[in-house]
Amino acid sequence: MTQLSDNEPYQNGNSICAERVVRAERELSAFFSAVAEMFGPEQATLAAKDWLQQLEVMTDLPGSSREWRALSIEASARLAKRVNANGFAASR
């Protein structure tokens, strides 16, 4: 399977939507892995749900890696509020 670079067009078809799905999967996977490494699998699952909820309220799928990253930043803000409210950082 061919991996996409950030600026490389989708090679296995002409679908912009398919390219965006690949980028979404890549961004969510990286986000989930980072949160799991820092806060554990339970927080990673909750953060992934936040990420998906944020995606659901968008009117259009992001078109660039930068836009996908902005979505992850918004989900990270929710994560930060949750872990601070629960005192998670102090307990680790």
Side-chain angles (χ1 to χ4, degrees):
M1 181 177 208
T2 304
Q3 294 292 319
L4 293 175
S5 72
D6 286 342
N7 298 315
E8 181 181 344
Y10 185 67
Q11 297 295 317
N12 294 330
N14 294 325
S15 172
I16 291 172
C17 185
E19 179 182 346
R20 290 181 180 183
V21 168
V22 169
R23 290 178 191 264
E25 289 173 344
R26 183 183 304 142
E27 183 66 28
L28 179 55
S29 176
F31 178 68
F32 183 89
S33 295
V35 174
E37 183 177 324
M38 294 194 68
F39 299 103
E42 182 179 334
Q43 288 299 323
T45 299
L46 293 172
K49 288 179 183 178
D50 289 340
W51 194 96
L52 291 168
Q53 288 174 346
Q54 197 65 36
L55 180 61
E56 286 177 352
V57 299
M58 298 179 85
T59 55
D60 293 317
L61 286 176
S64 69
S65 296
R66 178 182 232 169
E67 291 170 332
W68 284 111
R69 188 63 38 91
L71 192 148
S72 293
I73 291 168
E74 290 178 30
S76 296
R78 288 183 176 182
L79 169 67
K81 288 177 185 176
R82 184 173 46 253
V83 298
N84 286 333
N86 294 336
F88 186 88
S91 69
R92 274 187 72 101

